[in-house]
């Protein structure tokens, strides 16, 4: 397929318009935050969350810009990957991560410096608009481009990657600003294993490599789902015990909220793995 340059009509489709809106609002968000140093004066223990917010805005701005540019020049047909799976994966993950950044950012900055609050309000508003744009892009991409990552099992894989990543982020905070015990390190290992497994599955689908797997890929997906359910059951029980009975974990009081958040992500991700396992079993039964 020849590369087509300069087709203005490509930029006027609903999907392209939504992507442009995400680019503009995302750029305004991190520009406001960076220019006014809204996150630079936060307490040292919040560095992890400050880095997460800035990384999220900048990373998905860059990816969206690349996707829009490649779509404009119609270069995606020459790429050795599944474009329809890539775009919906990026938009779905961006929806989840920008949403959490939009919640974390005001918790970090409001009330610290009254003079900077108008800029913080504007940055929060633009971040929320960015989230809405990515959510709309995910909806439109699912409707226009059918692929595995646009299906419910594919979106569950994105949720698993997101949940494991956020849980690891919270574990990192506990390790850096607490007295981590065996529970924290054990949970971190579980989240890391599940993150690698889910991320690997997503990369296989985006790279369109499922057919090259030496084993039946449906059985591999079912096996990974079983592994994820078992590991997250252990992580959910450990984090729930630490959150509901914080004295048993001998945690500092300020870490209780972090553990409650970890428990929430662990339980949500466990639910995602459970539903994913049900879909995998149903698919295997239908094939047989």
């Amino acid at each position: 397929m020849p590369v087509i340059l300069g087709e203005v009509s490509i930029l006027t489709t609903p999907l392209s318009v939504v992507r442009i809106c995400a680019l503009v609002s995302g750029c305004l968000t991190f520009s406001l935050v960076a220019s006014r140093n809204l996150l630079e004066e936060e307490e040292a223990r919040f560095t992890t969350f400050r880095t997460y917010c800035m990384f999220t805005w900048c990373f998905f701005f860059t990816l969206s810009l690349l996707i829009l540019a490649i779509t404009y020049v119609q270069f995606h047909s020459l790429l050795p990957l599944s474009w329809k799976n890539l775009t919906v994966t990026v938009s779905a993950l961006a929806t989840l991560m920008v949403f959490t950044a939009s919640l974390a950012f005001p918790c970090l900055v409001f009330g610290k410096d009254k003079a900077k609050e108008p800029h913080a309000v504007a940055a929060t508003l633009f971040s929320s608009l960015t989230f809405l744009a990515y959510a709309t892009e995910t909806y439109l991409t699912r409707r226009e481009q059918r692929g595995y990552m646009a299906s419910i099992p594919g979106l569950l894989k994105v949720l698993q990657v997101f949940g494991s990543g956020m849980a690891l982020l919270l574990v990192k905070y506990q390790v850096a600003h607490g007295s981590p015990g065996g529970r924290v390190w054990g949970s971190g290992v579980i989240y890391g294993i599940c993150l690698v497994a889910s991320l690997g599955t997503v990369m296989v689908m985006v790279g369109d490599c499922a057919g090259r797997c030496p084993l039946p890929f449906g059985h591999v997906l079912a096996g990974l789902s079983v592994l994820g359910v078992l590991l997250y059951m252990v992580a959910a029980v450990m984090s729930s015990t630490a959150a509901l009975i914080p004295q048993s974990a001998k945690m500092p009081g300020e870490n209780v909220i972090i553990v409650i958040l970890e428990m929430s992500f662990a339980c949500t991700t466990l639910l995602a793995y459970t539903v994913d396992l049900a879909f995998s079993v149903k698919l295997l039964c239908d094939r047989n």
Side-chain angles (χ1 to χ4, degrees), residues 14-269:
L15 191 56
S16 294
V17 170
V18 169
R19 285 171 177 162
I20 292 172
C21 291
L23 280 174
V24 173
S25 56
C27 180
L28 289 173
T29 301
F30 67 75
S31 297
L32 272 171
V33 173
S35 63
R36 295 292 175 175
N37 295 323
L38 296 180
L39 289 173
E40 291 301 321
E41 298 178 2
E42 296 308 310
E43 298 180 44
R45 68 176 186 272
F46 295 137
T47 300
T48 300
F49 305 111
R50 177 181 66 196
T51 303
Y52 170 79
C53 290
M54 286 300 293
F55 169 81
T56 297
W57 295 322
C58 296
F59 179 69
F60 286 107
F61 171 82
T62 304
L63 284 183
S64 297
L65 183 60
L66 288 174
I67 288 174
L68 188 64
I70 292 172
T71 302
Y72 177 65
V73 300
Q74 294 289 285
F75 188 68
H76 54 80
S77 60
L78 304 179
L79 298 177
L81 47 78
S82 175
W83 183 253
K84 57 186 177 182
N85 283 328
L86 174 65
T87 52
V88 72
T89 300
V90 171
S91 62
L93 187 59
T95 300
L96 295 171
M97 292 184 66
V98 173
F99 176 71
T100 53
S102 300
L103 294 179
F105 173 73
C107 295
L108 293 175
V109 301
F110 282 123
K112 300 295 183 180
D113 188 343
K114 298 293 183 181
K116 292 183 177 180
E117 283 193 4
H119 300 91
V121 170
T124 303
L125 175 61
F126 285 124
S127 183
S128 301
L129 292 176
T130 306
F131 154 69
L132 291 176
Y134 279 122
T136 305
E137 180 186 347
T138 303
Y139 170 76
L140 293 176
T141 305
R142 288 195 66 205
R143 190 179 65 178
E144 297 180 8
Q145 301 176 1
R146 295 297 178 183
Y148 176 84
M149 296 306 300
S151 64
I152 294 179
L155 294 177
L156 287 172
K157 293 292 189 300
V158 176
L159 180 57
Q160 292 164 15
V161 171
F162 168 74
S164 298
M166 291 302 301
L168 271 177
L169 188 73
L170 295 170
V171 166
K172 177 181 180 299
Y173 177 90
Q174 294 174 65
V175 170
H177 304 286
S179 301
R183 199 281 304 176
V184 176
W185 290 110
S187 297
V189 171
I190 289 174
Y191 301 143
I193 293 173
C194 293
L195 176 61
V196 171
S198 297
L199 189 58
T201 303
V202 171
M203 296 301 294
V204 167
M205 290 302 181
V206 171
D208 205 12
C209 300
R212 304 175 188 175
C213 182
L215 300 174
F217 198 65
H219 291 78
V220 173
L221 292 179
L224 292 177
S225 296
V226 171
L227 177 64
V229 168
L230 294 177
L231 290 178
Y232 261 96
M233 285 178 63
V234 176
V237 169
M238 291 193 299
S239 59
S240 299
T241 302
L244 299 177
I245 314 175
Q247 295 82 3
S248 66
K250 299 181 180 180
M251 292 184 299
E254 62 186 18
N255 278 9
V256 174
I257 295 178
I258 300 298
V259 177
I260 292 176
L261 289 175
E262 180 194 339
M263 177 191 69
S264 301
F265 282 111
C267 293
T268 301
T269 311

